[in-house]
Amino acid sequence: KAGVTQTPRYLIKTRGQQVTLSCSPISGHRSVSWYQQTPGQGLQFLFEYFSETQRNKGNFPGRFSGRQFSNSRSEMNVSTLELGDSALYLCASSLGTGLKEQYFGPGTRLTVT
Amino acid sequence: GENVEQHPSTLSVQEGDSAVIKCTYSDSASNYFPWYKQELGKRPQLIIDIRSNVGEKKDQRIAVTLNKTAKHFSLHITETQPEDSAVYFCAASMDSGGSNYKLTFGKGTLLTVNP
């Protein structure tokens, strides 16, 4: 099976702009979770989607949002970018019921200047 | 919410020695504890996990132990090899009827295995 894929892999944006990141889960996986990874804060949970519904949300401002499509692909959007949003954004996919193993994608490295 | 503490932050061992990384969690409702290995510039990879109805789990040179009473769990790597060098993360999550996939991570341990 193909693994989790994320696009784009690298992104440079300017403060105030918005950005959309995409994640395609492993075939058959219905849950997609998003995490932010920074050297200072480590890996932090953003939100999780299952069957196009957000089931869990972390402690991030409303500028961070996401959605999931009927084919389980997910997107996350960050509006009004701030310098502190520079990070590696990782998505992880899981079957979504019962078993909880989550498998990560390669991440999108976002740099805000 | 859940809080996961991980120690040590860095660990250096000689090839062939054992390495132990420890984590504590705060929420007694947490019942799933995975460990991830992240090599430089790579994605985190799930290496082993344990559920709260199990006290120990082994997979070749890797083992994880869980003490629910003390709310701590540990990763043990035996006969370490240079390719074990990476950052290791512990995590915890709580099951709410099978619908909670929020992982709370420790800050990570940089393991260096010296040849």
Side-chain angles (χ1 to χ4, degrees), chain A residues 47-90:
Chain A
F47 29 66
E48 184 243 349
Y49 287 86
F50 176 79
S51 290
E52 303 178 65
T53 300
Q54 186 182 89
R55 286 199 299 197
N56 290 285
K57 190 176 190 308
N59 297 322
F60 278 80
R63 300 185 296 106
F64 292 81
S65 63
R67 59 177 174 167
Q68 186 180 37
F69 302 94
S70 59
N71 62 358
S72 295
R73 189 178 70 84
S74 177
E75 288 181 348
M76 70 163 278
N77 184 77
V78 188
S79 62
T80 320
L81 284 166
E82 300 177 0
L83 295 178
D85 297 333
S86 294
L88 181 65
Y89 290 89
L90 293 156

